[in-house]
Amino acid sequence: MNEALKRIVAQSLSWFTAPIPIGNYSVSISAILQLIIWVFIVLFLSRALKKFLKYRLLVKLGIDEGNREAMATIISYSSSLLGLIIVLQSTGFNLGSLIVIAGGLGVGIGFGLQEVTRNFISGLTLLIERKLKVGDFIEFDGMSGYVKEVSLRSTLIRTRDGGDVVVPNSKLVENKVLNWSYDSFHARIQIPVGVAYNSDTVLVTETLLNAAYMEPAVLHDPPPKVLFKNFGDNSLNFELWVWVNRIDREPFIRSSLNFIIEHNLRQNQITVPFPQRDLWIRNGEDFNLLGRKKIYQNGHRPEKIPDTLSVATASQTLTLKDLLRQVTYFQNFTDLELRQLIEIGHRKRLYPSQMLFQEGDPGDAFYIVLSGSVEVFVEKINKHLTNLGAGKFFGELSLMLGIPRTASVRALEETILFTIHHNAFQSILQEHPELAEEIVQELCKHQEELAQRQQQLRTMGLLDATEDDKNPVVWVRKRLQNLFGL
Protein backbone atom coordinates (compact mmCIF):
# COMPACT_ATOMS: atom_id res chain seq x y z
CA MET A 1 0.00 0.00 0.00
CA ASN A 2 2.84 2.38 0.86
CA GLU A 3 4.60 1.54 -2.38
CA ALA A 4 1.47 2.31 -4.40
CA LEU A 5 1.05 5.62 -2.60
CA LYS A 6 4.66 6.51 -3.27
CA ARG A 7 4.25 5.73 -6.96
CA ILE A 8 1.14 7.96 -7.14
CA VAL A 9 2.96 10.80 -5.42
CA ALA A 10 5.99 10.36 -7.69
CA GLN A 11 3.81 10.39 -10.81
CA SER A 12 1.98 13.52 -9.57
CA LEU A 13 5.25 15.29 -8.91
CA SER A 14 6.63 14.30 -12.27
CA TRP A 15 3.48 15.57 -13.94
CA PHE A 16 3.69 18.78 -11.90
CA THR A 17 7.33 19.35 -12.89
CA ALA A 18 7.17 17.90 -16.40
CA PRO A 19 8.15 20.42 -19.11
CA ILE A 20 5.39 21.55 -21.45
CA PRO A 21 6.70 22.50 -24.91
CA ILE A 22 5.65 25.94 -26.19
CA GLY A 23 7.22 26.52 -29.59
CA ASN A 24 11.00 26.24 -29.22
CA TYR A 25 10.77 26.55 -25.43
CA SER A 26 9.26 24.51 -22.62
CA VAL A 27 7.84 25.41 -19.22
CA SER A 28 6.44 23.42 -16.28
CA ILE A 29 3.32 23.97 -14.23
CA SER A 30 5.44 24.43 -11.10
CA ALA A 31 7.39 27.21 -12.82
CA ILE A 32 4.15 28.94 -13.80
CA LEU A 33 2.80 28.75 -10.23
CA GLN A 34 6.11 29.95 -8.88
CA LEU A 35 6.02 32.87 -11.30
CA ILE A 36 2.44 33.77 -10.25
CA ILE A 37 3.40 33.73 -6.57
CA TRP A 38 6.43 35.93 -7.16
CA VAL A 39 4.36 38.37 -9.23
CA PHE A 40 1.89 38.74 -6.34
CA ILE A 41 4.78 39.27 -3.92
CA VAL A 42 6.29 41.96 -6.17
CA LEU A 43 2.93 43.76 -6.51
CA PHE A 44 2.35 43.59 -2.75
CA LEU A 45 5.81 44.98 -2.00
CA SER A 46 5.41 47.78 -4.56
CA ARG A 47 2.08 48.81 -3.03
CA ALA A 48 3.62 48.74 0.47
CA LEU A 49 6.53 50.82 -0.85
CA LYS A 50 4.09 53.39 -2.27
CA LYS A 51 2.28 53.73 1.07
CA PHE A 52 5.59 54.00 2.95
CA LEU A 53 6.83 56.74 0.63
CA LYS A 54 3.52 58.60 0.53
CA TYR A 55 2.60 58.57 4.21
CA ARG A 56 5.95 58.28 6.01
CA LEU A 57 9.24 59.04 4.28
CA LEU A 58 8.14 61.88 1.98
CA VAL A 59 6.05 63.41 4.78
CA LYS A 60 9.14 63.59 7.01
CA LEU A 61 11.04 65.23 4.16
CA GLY A 62 8.41 68.01 4.09
CA ILE A 63 7.19 67.33 0.52
CA ASP A 64 3.66 68.56 -0.22
CA GLU A 65 0.77 66.18 -0.82
CA GLY A 66 0.62 66.54 -4.61
CA ASN A 67 4.33 65.88 -5.11
CA ARG A 68 4.24 62.99 -2.65
CA GLU A 69 1.55 61.27 -4.72
CA ALA A 70 3.46 61.74 -7.99
CA MET A 71 6.82 60.59 -6.61
CA ALA A 72 5.38 57.61 -4.75
CA THR A 73 3.39 56.46 -7.80
CA ILE A 74 6.33 56.72 -10.24
CA ILE A 75 8.76 55.00 -7.85
CA SER A 76 6.31 52.18 -7.03
CA TYR A 77 5.51 51.48 -10.69
CA SER A 78 9.20 51.58 -11.60
CA SER A 79 10.03 49.17 -8.78
CA SER A 80 7.20 46.88 -9.90
CA LEU A 81 8.53 46.79 -13.46
CA LEU A 82 12.09 46.12 -12.25
CA GLY A 83 10.87 43.42 -9.86
CA LEU A 84 8.90 41.65 -12.60
CA ILE A 85 11.96 41.60 -14.87
CA ILE A 86 14.07 40.12 -12.08
CA VAL A 87 11.43 37.49 -11.33
CA LEU A 88 11.16 36.48 -14.99
CA GLN A 89 14.91 36.13 -15.29
CA SER A 90 15.30 34.19 -12.03
CA THR A 91 12.53 31.73 -12.84
CA GLY A 92 14.12 30.84 -16.17
CA PHE A 93 11.83 32.69 -18.53
CA ASN A 94 13.59 34.01 -21.59
CA LEU A 95 12.79 37.69 -21.99
CA GLY A 96 13.76 37.49 -25.64
CA SER A 97 11.00 34.98 -26.26
CA LEU A 98 8.50 37.18 -24.47
CA ILE A 99 9.49 40.10 -26.66
CA VAL A 100 8.96 37.99 -29.77
CA ILE A 101 5.56 36.83 -28.51
CA ALA A 102 4.58 40.37 -27.52
CA GLY A 103 5.65 41.61 -30.94
CA GLY A 104 3.52 39.01 -32.66
CA LEU A 105 0.48 39.80 -30.57
CA GLY A 106 1.13 43.53 -30.42
CA VAL A 107 -0.63 44.32 -33.67
CA GLY A 108 -3.81 42.53 -32.67
CA ILE A 109 -3.79 43.63 -29.06
CA GLY A 110 -2.86 47.20 -29.95
CA PHE A 111 -6.20 47.88 -31.60
CA GLY A 112 -8.08 46.60 -28.55
CA LEU A 113 -5.94 48.42 -25.99
CA GLN A 114 -5.64 51.79 -27.67
CA GLU A 115 -7.72 53.49 -24.97
CA VAL A 116 -5.78 51.82 -22.16
CA THR A 117 -2.49 52.84 -23.74
CA ARG A 118 -3.66 56.42 -24.20
CA ASN A 119 -4.77 56.60 -20.56
CA PHE A 120 -1.47 55.09 -19.45
CA ILE A 121 0.57 57.68 -21.33
CA SER A 122 -1.76 60.45 -20.12
CA GLY A 123 -1.24 59.24 -16.55
CA LEU A 124 2.52 59.48 -16.94
CA THR A 125 2.07 62.98 -18.37
CA LEU A 126 -0.02 64.08 -15.38
CA LEU A 127 2.44 62.59 -12.89
CA ILE A 128 5.50 64.13 -14.53
CA GLU A 129 4.10 67.56 -15.45
CA ARG A 130 2.11 67.85 -12.17
CA LYS A 131 -0.40 70.28 -13.65
CA LEU A 132 -3.00 68.36 -11.62
CA LYS A 133 -1.91 67.14 -8.19
CA VAL A 134 -3.55 65.36 -5.31
CA GLY A 135 -5.38 67.95 -3.21
CA ASP A 136 -6.07 70.34 -6.09
CA PHE A 137 -9.60 71.73 -6.41
CA ILE A 138 -10.72 71.53 -10.03
CA GLU A 139 -13.75 71.99 -12.28
CA PHE A 140 -14.20 69.53 -15.12
CA ASP A 141 -17.13 68.50 -17.29
CA GLY A 142 -19.68 70.39 -15.20
CA MET A 143 -18.52 69.08 -11.81
CA SER A 144 -16.13 70.39 -9.18
CA GLY A 145 -14.12 68.52 -6.57
CA TYR A 146 -10.74 67.60 -5.13
CA VAL A 147 -8.16 65.41 -6.85
CA LYS A 148 -7.94 62.45 -4.49
CA GLU A 149 -5.65 60.08 -6.41
CA VAL A 150 -3.72 60.06 -9.70
CA SER A 151 -2.84 56.61 -11.05
CA LEU A 152 -1.51 55.53 -14.43
CA ARG A 153 -4.95 54.71 -15.87
CA SER A 154 -7.38 57.08 -14.15
CA THR A 155 -7.78 59.94 -11.69
CA LEU A 156 -10.11 59.87 -8.69
CA ILE A 157 -12.03 63.10 -7.97
CA ARG A 158 -13.94 63.62 -4.70
CA THR A 159 -16.91 65.92 -5.35
CA ARG A 160 -18.29 68.48 -2.89
CA ASP A 161 -21.21 66.13 -2.28
CA GLY A 162 -18.85 63.39 -1.10
CA GLY A 163 -18.99 61.19 -4.21
CA ASP A 164 -15.90 59.74 -5.89
CA VAL A 165 -15.73 60.06 -9.69
CA VAL A 166 -13.25 57.97 -11.69
CA VAL A 167 -12.07 59.91 -14.74
CA PRO A 168 -9.83 58.36 -17.46
CA ASN A 169 -6.55 60.28 -17.62
CA SER A 170 -6.89 60.91 -21.36
CA LYS A 171 -10.04 62.98 -20.69
CA LEU A 172 -8.12 65.26 -18.33
CA VAL A 173 -5.19 65.67 -20.74
CA GLU A 174 -7.24 66.27 -23.89
CA ASN A 175 -9.92 68.59 -22.41
CA LYS A 176 -9.91 71.92 -20.61
CA VAL A 177 -9.70 71.63 -16.82
CA LEU A 178 -10.05 74.61 -14.47
CA ASN A 179 -7.58 74.16 -11.61
CA TRP A 180 -8.62 76.62 -8.89
CA SER A 181 -5.67 75.75 -6.66
CA TYR A 182 -2.77 75.44 -9.13
CA ASP A 183 -0.69 78.06 -7.26
CA SER A 184 -2.97 78.67 -4.25
CA PHE A 185 -6.59 78.54 -3.15
CA HIS A 186 -6.90 82.31 -3.48
CA ALA A 187 -9.53 83.37 -6.02
CA ARG A 188 -12.21 85.97 -6.59
CA ILE A 189 -15.98 85.69 -6.23
CA GLN A 190 -18.67 88.19 -7.18
CA ILE A 191 -21.78 89.00 -5.13
CA PRO A 192 -24.55 90.84 -7.06
CA VAL A 193 -26.63 93.29 -5.02
CA GLY A 194 -29.60 95.40 -6.17
CA VAL A 195 -30.80 98.46 -4.22
CA ALA A 196 -33.68 100.92 -4.62
CA TYR A 197 -33.32 103.86 -7.02
CA ASN A 198 -33.45 106.44 -4.23
CA SER A 199 -30.43 104.89 -2.43
CA ASP A 200 -27.24 106.82 -1.71
CA THR A 201 -24.69 105.09 -3.93
CA VAL A 202 -21.79 106.20 -1.74
CA LEU A 203 -23.47 104.72 1.34
CA VAL A 204 -24.18 101.53 -0.59
CA THR A 205 -20.50 101.27 -1.56
CA GLU A 206 -19.40 101.81 2.03
CA THR A 207 -21.93 99.28 3.32
CA LEU A 208 -20.81 96.57 0.89
CA LEU A 209 -17.13 97.15 1.65
CA ASN A 210 -17.79 96.98 5.38
CA ALA A 211 -19.63 93.70 4.84
CA ALA A 212 -16.66 92.31 2.93
CA TYR A 213 -14.21 93.18 5.71
CA MET A 214 -16.49 91.54 8.29
CA GLU A 215 -16.04 88.13 6.63
CA PRO A 216 -12.81 86.42 7.89
CA ALA A 217 -12.33 84.46 4.64
CA VAL A 218 -12.04 87.67 2.55
CA LEU A 219 -8.48 88.79 1.83
CA HIS A 220 -7.45 92.42 2.33
CA ASP A 221 -4.86 92.22 -0.45
CA PRO A 222 -6.12 92.54 -3.15
CA PRO A 223 -8.77 94.70 -1.47
CA PRO A 224 -12.51 94.22 -2.06
CA LYS A 225 -14.09 96.35 -4.78
CA VAL A 226 -17.62 97.56 -5.48
CA LEU A 227 -18.73 97.97 -9.09
CA PHE A 228 -21.82 99.87 -10.25
CA LYS A 229 -22.90 97.47 -12.97
CA ASN A 230 -25.98 99.09 -14.53
CA PHE A 231 -29.36 100.73 -14.08
CA GLY A 232 -31.83 97.86 -13.85
CA ASP A 233 -35.57 97.86 -14.43
CA ASN A 234 -36.29 98.01 -10.71
CA SER A 235 -32.95 98.60 -9.01
CA LEU A 236 -29.47 100.03 -9.13
CA ASN A 237 -27.31 96.97 -9.70
CA PHE A 238 -24.00 96.71 -7.86
CA GLU A 239 -21.49 93.89 -7.62
CA LEU A 240 -19.10 93.19 -4.75
CA TRP A 241 -15.79 91.64 -5.81
CA VAL A 242 -13.79 89.92 -3.08
CA TRP A 243 -10.73 87.70 -3.04
CA VAL A 244 -11.07 84.76 -0.66
CA ASN A 245 -8.49 82.49 0.93
CA ARG A 246 -10.29 79.23 0.11
CA ILE A 247 -12.18 79.18 -3.18
CA ASP A 248 -13.25 75.58 -2.51
CA ARG A 249 -15.43 76.96 0.31
CA GLU A 250 -17.09 79.43 -2.06
CA PRO A 251 -20.72 78.36 -1.32
CA PHE A 252 -20.24 78.88 2.43
CA ILE A 253 -18.36 82.18 2.00
CA ARG A 254 -20.99 83.46 -0.43
CA SER A 255 -23.77 82.53 1.99
CA SER A 256 -22.00 84.25 4.89
CA LEU A 257 -21.45 87.39 2.83
CA ASN A 258 -25.10 87.45 1.80
CA PHE A 259 -26.14 87.29 5.46
CA ILE A 260 -23.74 90.10 6.38
CA ILE A 261 -24.78 92.28 3.42
CA GLU A 262 -28.48 91.88 4.21
CA HIS A 263 -27.84 92.80 7.85
CA ASN A 264 -25.76 95.86 6.95
CA LEU A 265 -28.27 97.09 4.37
CA ARG A 266 -31.05 96.78 6.92
CA GLN A 267 -29.01 98.64 9.55
CA ASN A 268 -28.42 101.51 7.10
CA GLN A 269 -32.08 101.46 5.95
CA ILE A 270 -31.11 100.68 2.36
CA THR A 271 -33.97 98.95 0.57
CA VAL A 272 -33.59 95.90 -1.64
CA PRO A 273 -36.45 96.34 -4.17
CA PHE A 274 -38.65 93.73 -5.75
CA PRO A 275 -40.02 93.81 -9.31
CA GLN A 276 -42.99 96.15 -9.68
CA ARG A 277 -45.46 96.55 -12.53
CA ASP A 278 -48.16 99.18 -13.11
CA LEU A 279 -51.53 97.69 -14.16
CA TRP A 280 -53.84 99.92 -16.25
CA ILE A 281 -57.52 98.83 -16.33
CA ARG A 282 -60.00 100.00 -18.92
CA ASN A 283 -63.58 100.78 -17.80
CA GLY A 284 -62.50 101.11 -14.22
CA GLU A 285 -65.92 102.56 -13.26
CA ASP A 286 -67.55 99.19 -13.92
CA PHE A 287 -65.17 97.53 -11.50
CA ASN A 288 -65.97 100.15 -8.85
CA LEU A 289 -69.71 99.47 -9.21
CA LEU A 290 -69.11 95.75 -9.04
CA GLY A 291 -67.10 96.20 -5.87
CA ARG A 292 -69.95 98.06 -4.14
CA LYS A 293 -72.44 95.24 -4.64
CA LYS A 294 -72.93 92.91 -1.69
CA ILE A 295 -73.09 89.35 -2.84
CA TYR A 296 -74.30 86.97 -0.22
CA GLN A 297 -74.55 83.22 -0.37
CA ASN A 298 -78.04 81.73 0.35
CA GLY A 299 -79.26 85.25 1.13
CA HIS A 300 -77.28 85.50 4.39
CA ARG A 301 -74.57 87.99 5.23
CA PRO A 302 -71.24 86.18 5.73
CA GLU A 303 -69.72 86.25 9.18
CA LYS A 304 -67.37 89.13 9.71
CA ILE A 305 -63.75 88.10 9.79
CA PRO A 306 -61.93 89.93 12.59
CA ASP A 307 -59.30 92.40 11.47
CA THR A 308 -56.90 91.39 14.20
CA LEU A 309 -56.04 88.03 15.62
CA SER A 310 -56.91 87.14 19.16
CA VAL A 311 -54.33 87.70 21.83
CA ALA A 312 -53.66 83.98 22.11
CA THR A 313 -53.06 83.67 18.36
CA ALA A 314 -51.01 86.83 18.07
CA SER A 315 -48.67 85.96 20.87
CA GLN A 316 -45.59 84.30 19.48
CA THR A 317 -43.02 82.14 21.19
CA LEU A 318 -39.54 83.52 21.50
CA THR A 319 -37.24 82.81 18.59
CA LEU A 320 -33.97 80.94 19.03
CA LYS A 321 -32.14 84.24 18.56
CA ASP A 322 -34.10 85.74 21.47
CA LEU A 323 -33.40 82.69 23.62
CA LEU A 324 -29.66 82.89 22.94
CA ARG A 325 -29.66 86.57 23.80
CA GLN A 326 -31.12 85.72 27.21
CA VAL A 327 -27.96 83.75 27.99
CA THR A 328 -25.74 86.13 29.96
CA TYR A 329 -22.61 85.30 28.00
CA PHE A 330 -24.24 85.89 24.61
CA GLN A 331 -26.35 88.96 25.36
CA ASN A 332 -23.82 91.35 23.76
CA PHE A 333 -23.52 89.30 20.58
CA THR A 334 -24.66 90.98 17.37
CA ASP A 335 -27.37 89.45 15.18
CA LEU A 336 -24.69 88.14 12.84
CA GLU A 337 -22.78 86.48 15.67
CA LEU A 338 -25.99 84.94 17.00
CA ARG A 339 -26.76 83.67 13.50
CA GLN A 340 -23.44 81.84 13.51
CA LEU A 341 -24.27 80.28 16.87
CA ILE A 342 -27.61 79.11 15.45
CA GLU A 343 -25.88 77.79 12.35
CA ILE A 344 -23.33 75.64 14.23
CA GLY A 345 -25.92 74.16 16.58
CA HIS A 346 -28.27 71.26 15.97
CA ARG A 347 -31.50 69.78 17.35
CA LYS A 348 -31.49 66.78 19.67
CA ARG A 349 -34.61 64.75 20.48
CA LEU A 350 -35.07 63.05 23.84
CA TYR A 351 -37.79 60.55 24.70
CA PRO A 352 -39.48 60.31 28.12
CA SER A 353 -37.05 59.18 30.86
CA GLN A 354 -34.10 59.22 28.44
CA MET A 355 -30.87 60.41 30.08
CA LEU A 356 -29.06 63.33 28.47
CA PHE A 357 -25.97 63.13 30.68
CA GLN A 358 -24.94 62.12 34.20
CA GLU A 359 -22.86 63.84 36.86
CA GLY A 360 -19.18 63.49 36.15
CA ASP A 361 -19.65 63.38 32.37
CA PRO A 362 -17.55 65.83 30.32
CA GLY A 363 -19.05 69.30 30.01
CA ASP A 364 -18.78 69.43 26.23
CA ALA A 365 -22.15 70.90 25.20
CA PHE A 366 -24.64 73.67 25.91
CA TYR A 367 -28.42 73.16 25.67
CA ILE A 368 -31.61 75.20 25.25
CA VAL A 369 -34.99 73.51 25.76
CA LEU A 370 -37.09 74.23 22.66
CA SER A 371 -40.05 72.06 23.64
CA GLY A 372 -40.88 69.61 26.39
CA SER A 373 -39.10 69.59 29.75
CA VAL A 374 -36.18 67.97 31.56
CA GLU A 375 -35.38 67.15 35.17
CA VAL A 376 -32.10 68.12 36.82
CA PHE A 377 -31.17 65.87 39.76
CA VAL A 378 -28.21 64.46 41.69
CA GLU A 379 -28.22 60.75 40.99
CA LYS A 380 -25.87 59.67 43.79
CA ILE A 381 -28.17 60.92 46.56
CA ASN A 382 -31.36 60.76 44.47
CA LYS A 383 -32.08 64.46 45.06
CA HIS A 384 -34.31 66.46 42.74
CA LEU A 385 -32.96 69.94 41.93
CA THR A 386 -35.30 71.52 39.38
CA ASN A 387 -37.32 71.08 36.21
CA LEU A 388 -36.50 73.09 33.09
CA GLY A 389 -39.16 73.81 30.47
CA ALA A 390 -39.24 75.45 27.05
CA GLY A 391 -36.98 78.50 26.82
CA LYS A 392 -34.65 77.43 29.65
CA PHE A 393 -30.95 76.79 29.07
CA PHE A 394 -28.24 74.88 30.90
CA GLY A 395 -24.66 73.64 30.48
CA GLU A 396 -23.18 76.87 29.10
CA LEU A 397 -20.61 77.25 31.90
CA SER A 398 -19.50 73.62 31.59
CA LEU A 399 -19.01 74.07 27.85
CA MET A 400 -16.99 77.27 28.09
CA LEU A 401 -14.79 76.16 31.01
CA GLY A 402 -14.64 72.42 30.32
CA ILE A 403 -16.04 71.55 33.76
CA PRO A 404 -17.49 68.05 34.38
CA ARG A 405 -21.24 67.85 34.96
CA THR A 406 -22.28 68.36 38.58
CA ALA A 407 -25.78 66.90 38.08
CA SER A 408 -27.71 64.53 35.84
CA VAL A 409 -30.41 65.48 33.34
CA ARG A 410 -33.20 63.35 31.89
CA ALA A 411 -36.31 64.05 29.86
CA LEU A 412 -39.67 64.20 31.61
CA GLU A 413 -41.51 64.02 28.28
CA GLU A 414 -40.63 64.05 24.61
CA THR A 415 -38.22 66.97 24.42
CA ILE A 416 -36.33 68.80 21.70
CA LEU A 417 -33.09 70.56 22.64
CA PHE A 418 -30.95 73.03 20.74
CA THR A 419 -27.36 71.88 21.22
CA ILE A 420 -23.97 73.53 20.69
CA HIS A 421 -21.05 71.11 21.05
CA HIS A 422 -17.43 71.86 21.90
CA ASN A 423 -16.06 71.48 18.35
CA ALA A 424 -18.70 73.76 16.87
CA PHE A 425 -18.16 76.39 19.57
CA GLN A 426 -14.41 76.12 19.03
CA SER A 427 -14.78 76.86 15.32
CA ILE A 428 -16.69 80.10 15.92
CA LEU A 429 -14.22 81.27 18.59
CA GLN A 430 -11.27 80.58 16.30
CA GLU A 431 -12.90 82.56 13.50
CA HIS A 432 -13.82 85.42 15.87
CA PRO A 433 -11.28 85.58 18.74
CA GLU A 434 -12.83 88.82 19.97
CA LEU A 435 -15.88 86.84 21.11
CA ALA A 436 -13.71 84.97 23.60
CA GLU A 437 -12.76 88.23 25.32
CA GLU A 438 -16.44 89.23 25.56
CA ILE A 439 -17.18 85.89 27.21
CA VAL A 440 -14.25 86.39 29.60
CA GLN A 441 -15.64 89.74 30.73
CA GLU A 442 -19.12 88.30 31.26
CA LEU A 443 -17.83 85.24 33.15
CA CYS A 444 -15.75 87.39 35.48
CA LYS A 445 -18.88 89.19 36.70
CA HIS A 446 -19.60 86.02 38.69
CA GLN A 447 -16.32 85.69 40.57
CA GLU A 448 -17.68 83.67 43.51
CA GLU A 449 -19.10 81.00 41.25
CA LEU A 450 -15.90 80.97 39.21
CA ALA A 451 -13.84 80.50 42.34
CA GLN A 452 -15.96 77.48 43.28
CA ARG A 453 -15.59 76.00 39.80
CA GLN A 454 -11.85 76.61 39.85
CA GLN A 455 -11.53 74.89 43.21
CA GLN A 456 -13.63 71.99 41.91
CA LEU A 457 -11.24 71.49 39.00
CA ARG A 458 -8.26 71.83 41.32
CA THR A 459 -9.67 69.17 43.67
CA MET A 460 -10.35 66.77 40.78
CA GLY A 461 -6.87 67.29 39.40
CA LEU A 462 -8.22 68.67 36.13
CA LEU A 463 -6.67 72.11 36.43
CA ASP A 464 -3.50 72.62 34.40
CA ALA A 465 -0.76 74.25 36.49
CA THR A 466 0.09 76.59 33.60
CA GLU A 467 -3.40 78.13 33.69
CA ASP A 468 -4.01 78.11 37.46
CA ASP A 469 -4.12 81.72 38.60
CA LYS A 470 -5.69 83.55 41.54
CA ASN A 471 -6.91 86.29 39.23
CA PRO A 472 -10.20 84.97 37.75
CA VAL A 473 -9.85 87.06 34.59
CA VAL A 474 -6.41 85.60 33.87
CA TRP A 475 -7.55 82.09 34.74
CA VAL A 476 -10.67 82.20 32.54
CA ARG A 477 -8.71 83.67 29.62
CA LYS A 478 -6.05 80.95 29.84
CA ARG A 479 -8.74 78.31 30.27
CA LEU A 480 -10.49 79.36 27.07
CA GLN A 481 -7.20 79.51 25.20
CA ASN A 482 -6.24 75.98 26.24
CA LEU A 483 -9.70 74.46 25.70
CA PHE A 484 -10.40 75.98 22.31
CA GLY A 485 -6.90 76.46 20.89
CA LEU A 486 -7.10 80.26 20.68
Side-chain angles (χ1 to χ4, degrees):
M1 183 69 179
N2 291 335
E3 293 296 329
L5 182 61
K6 289 180 180 180
R7 285 197 301 269
I8 294 174
V9 171
Q11 290 177 357
S12 300
L13 292 175
S14 63
W15 173 80
F16 189 71
T17 58
I20 301 174
I22 301 177
N24 297 328
Y25 302 94
S26 60
V27 63
S28 63
I29 295 177
S30 61
I32 295 175
L33 293 177
Q34 183 180 0
L35 175 63
I36 293 174
I37 292 172
W38 276 110
V39 166
F40 276 109
I41 292 174
V42 168
L43 295 177
F44 173 78
L45 292 176
S46 65
R47 179 167 293 185
L49 175 62
K50 180 179 179 179
K51 291 183 177 179
F52 172 75
L53 292 172
K54 183 178 177 180
Y55 298 110
R56 289 177 173 266
L57 180 61
L58 299 179
V59 172
K60 292 181 178 179
L61 295 177
I63 299 175
D64 62 88
E65 184 183 16
N67 290 325
R68 288 201 305 268
E69 177 72 21
M71 294 174 65
T73 301
I74 292 175
I75 293 174
S76 65
Y77 277 110
S78 300
S79 62
S80 298
L81 181 60
L82 180 61
L84 290 176
I85 293 175
I86 294 174
V87 166
L88 290 173
Q89 290 281 33
S90 61
T91 52
F93 278 86
N94 192 323
L95 292 179
S97 64
L98 292 179
I99 293 173
V100 172
I101 295 174
L105 298 176
V107 176
I109 296 176
F111 288 106
L113 299 180
Q114 284 182 358
E115 189 65 26
V116 175
T117 305
R118 185 161 61 248
N119 289 327
F120 181 84
I121 296 174
S122 299
L124 287 176
T125 303
L126 292 175
L127 291 170
I128 294 173
E129 288 188 350
R130 294 184 294 111
K131 293 293 191 298
L132 296 179
K133 306 181 296 296
V134 170
D136 283 351
F137 182 72
I138 65 172
E139 283 190 20
F140 170 74
D141 196 21
M143 66 177 177
S144 58
Y146 302 88
V147 178
K148 187 177 179 181
E149 181 182 355
V150 180
S151 61
L152 287 181
R153 191 197 71 83
S154 62
T155 296
L156 193 64
I157 299 175
R158 169 67 59 86
T159 66
R160 277 174 168 162
D161 299 327
D164 292 325
V165 181
V166 180
V167 181
N169 289 328
S170 60
K171 301 294 184 182
L172 296 174
V173 172
E174 296 170 359
N175 295 283
K176 294 180 180 179
V177 180
L178 176 57
N179 189 345
W180 283 105
S181 56
Y182 181 72
D183 290 325
S184 70
F185 279 89
H186 296 178
R188 190 185 69 196
I189 62 177
Q190 299 87 32
I191 309 290
V193 179
V195 298
Y197 260 90
N198 59 351
S199 302
D200 183 348
T201 57
V202 176
L203 181 59
V204 171
T205 302
E206 180 182 353
T207 302
L208 294 180
L209 290 177
N210 289 339
Y213 285 114
M214 291 173 67
E215 169 55 45
V218 172
L219 300 175
H220 294 187
D221 185 22
K225 294 184 180 298
V226 175
L227 281 71
F228 193 160
K229 297 292 289 185
N230 54 55
F231 296 89
D233 294 337
N234 307 289
S235 63
L236 303 176
N237 295 327
F238 291 81
E239 198 165 77
L240 175 64
W241 287 10
V242 293
W243 286 80
V244 297
N245 56 3
R246 294 283 304 197
I247 188 60
D248 55 327
R249 294 186 55 81
E250 179 264 343
F252 306 101
I253 298 173
R254 183 183 293 274
S255 174
S256 178
L257 281 171
N258 284 334
F259 275 112
I260 297 172
I261 289 170
E262 189 278 332
H263 175 268
N264 286 4
L265 291 176
R266 186 157 34 86
Q267 293 297 314
N268 290 305
Q269 298 180 350
I270 299 174
T271 305
V272 177
F274 54 88
Q276 301 181 27
R277 293 289 184 271
D278 292 331
L279 181 63
W280 294 81
I281 303 176
R282 293 184 178 181
N283 303 324
E285 295 80 3
D286 297 339
F287 281 93
N288 290 334
L289 292 174
L290 181 62
R292 295 192 187 101
K293 293 181 179 180
K294 304 297 184 182
I295 302 177
Y296 306 123
Q297 186 176 6
N298 298 329
H300 297 288
R301 181 186 297 272
E303 295 183 2
K304 182 179 180 181
I305 300 175
D307 295 332
T308 58
L309 297 175
S310 64
V311 176
T313 307
S315 61
Q316 297 180 353
T317 58
L318 291 176
T319 65
L320 188 52
K321 182 181 73 172
D322 297 328
L323 294 175
L324 284 171
R325 202 178 289 282
Q326 289 184 3
V327 181
T328 306
Y329 315 104
F330 305 146
Q331 62 185 2
N332 293 327
F333 279 26
T334 66
D335 287 351
L336 291 174
E337 292 163 349
L338 290 176
R339 182 195 67 79
Q340 289 183 307
L341 279 177
I342 294 171
E343 190 176 48
I344 64 176
H346 69 278
R347 271 67 173 174
K348 182 178 181 65
R349 182 187 297 273
L350 295 178
Y351 294 98
S353 301
Q354 181 179 350
M355 294 291 295
L356 178 62
F357 56 75
Q358 296 174 302
E359 56 247 49
D361 287 351
D364 57 355
F366 156 65
Y367 303 95
I368 294 179
V369 182
L370 298 181
S371 64
S373 59
V374 297
E375 178 190 10
V376 184
F377 64 100
V378 180
E379 192 172 7
K380 291 181 180 178
I381 59 177
N382 195 24
K383 180 181 179 181
H384 170 80
L385 296 180
T386 185
N387 293 339
L388 300 176
K392 301 298 182 180
F393 53 88
F394 58 95
E396 73 283 355
L397 203 59
S398 296
L399 169 65
M400 291 184 285
L401 295 181
I403 300 172
R405 307 293 186 184
T406 56
S408 301
V409 173
R410 65 185 167 201
L412 295 174
E413 55 186 315
E414 187 171 342
T415 304
I416 297 178
L417 302 172
F418 174 77
T419 309
I420 297 178
H421 279 287
H422 176 275
N423 292 338
F425 196 62
Q426 180 179 17
S427 65
I428 192 173
L429 288 183
Q430 289 179 344
E431 289 184 8
H432 304 279
E434 69 279 1
L435 299 184
E437 189 59 30
E438 293 182 17
I439 292 174
V440 169
Q441 299 304 322
E442 289 296 332
L443 285 172
C444 292
K445 293 178 181 178
H446 311 275
Q447 296 194 15
E448 292 184 3
E449 184 178 1
L450 285 178
Q452 295 176 0
R453 299 287 189 173
Q454 189 176 10
Q455 183 59 37
Q456 176 189 357
L457 290 174
R458 194 180 288 117
T459 303
M460 298 176 67
L462 299 177
L463 189 61
D464 192 343
T466 60
E467 67 183 30
D468 195 359
D469 197 288
K470 294 182 179 180
N471 188 333
V473 178
V474 176
W475 172 65
V476 170
R477 187 177 290 116
K478 289 182 178 179
R479 185 72 175 169
L480 287 174
Q481 290 174 351
N482 291 340
L483 282 176
F484 298 103
L486 304 179

